[in-house]
Amino acid sequence: MAGITSTGKPAARPGRLAGVRSVRATLHELDEERLVRLVARGDRAAFEELYRRTSPWLAVRLRRRCGDEQIVAEVMQETYLAVWRAAGAFAGAAVGGTATGWLWTIAARRLVDAFRRRAHHAEPPPAAAPPDAAPAAEEEALASTVGGDVGDALRCLAPELRQVLQAMVLDGLSVRETAVLLGLPEGTVKTRARRARSAMRRALA
């Protein structure tokens, strides 16, 4: 009988398959901001494409700050759940933001929360791997977020200064959140932030 496979299940209609492939191809062509806009409308296919595209670098970036795979997995899950629920709150290019920057800010705050929970209930999580043990996901994110002379000046900062400025300026974290995220005293974060801004001013003068 037409339309029935040898297993007895209805055969997929060629037109429907073509439509699915067309949707996937279209989503593949969209940038992350437009995918987030679709997610805000409840588009699960757009969410899956956003996850497929961003989860690898997000996981690498989290692992650079935390060596506990359980925490990383929990933060990943919480981050994408938050993205699904709060995609409508993404302001995007209208306020100079990017979808990847917004997503990382959510993840960074979830990681801070996870560190705080762990500090209350158990020993601190293992330290992150050395910087050269994983791809420079932060450099890639930085390159896509800040360009021109400002981006060049930021990339020329000493790593310990750049990571503080990234957390506070690009990720929008407070001094306390940055201290928790990087495992530093708040006074050290403030000192490094001042040094970083001073170096940036000299570089851009």
Side-chain angles (χ1 to χ4, degrees):
M1 183 181 296
I4 301 296
T5 67
S6 59
T7 61
K9 296 180 180 180
R13 296 180 181 177
R16 181 176 297 177
L17 287 176
V20 171
R21 285 194 292 267
S22 176
V23 168
R24 288 176 178 169
T26 301
L27 290 174
H28 184 70
E29 296 168 357
L30 298 179
D31 60 25
E32 287 81 2
E33 179 167 347
R34 294 183 68 185
L35 288 174
V36 172
R37 301 295 185 200
L38 290 175
V39 172
R41 299 179 196 168
D43 190 324
R44 187 168 293 277
F47 177 78
E48 291 173 354
E49 172 63 20
L50 182 69
Y51 179 86
R52 182 197 66 77
R53 194 180 301 181
T54 60
S55 59
W57 70 257
L58 183 62
V60 169
R61 200 171 182 190
L62 287 169
R63 289 189 185 107
R64 287 169 66 85
R65 285 182 165 84
C66 177
D68 188 320
E69 283 295 325
Q70 182 178 349
I71 289 181
V72 170
E74 290 172 358
V75 170
M76 289 283 289
Q77 183 176 12
E78 291 174 4
T79 296
Y80 284 99
L81 181 60
V83 168
W84 176 255
R85 290 175 172 173
F90 172 59
V95 294
T98 65
T100 52
W102 175 71
L103 194 143
W104 169 246
T105 298
I106 294 173
R109 289 209 161 99
R110 294 300 185 277
L111 185 58
V112 168
D113 291 342
F115 282 173
R116 286 172 172 161
R117 289 196 301 269
R118 182 61 64 94
H120 284 300
H121 300 293
E123 294 183 1
D132 58 354
E138 274 139 290
E139 298 301 330
E140 295 174 8
L142 179 62
S144 67
T145 304
V146 180
D149 293 341
V150 174
D152 291 339
L154 188 54
R155 283 184 284 272
C156 288
L157 287 175
E160 68 272 13
L161 302 184
R162 185 171 63 245
Q163 66 180 359
V164 167
L165 209 58
Q166 280 180 303
M168 295 183 66
V169 177
L170 299 185
D171 300 337
L173 302 183
S174 67
V175 170
R176 178 172 297 179
E177 288 172 330
T178 299
V180 173
L181 182 66
L182 301 180
L184 298 170
E186 289 185 34
T188 301
V189 169
K190 292 177 182 178
T191 298
R192 290 184 181 180
R194 284 196 298 269
R195 289 173 55 198
R197 291 189 174 102
S198 177
M200 289 287 289
R201 283 195 293 269
R202 289 195 301 270
L204 296 171

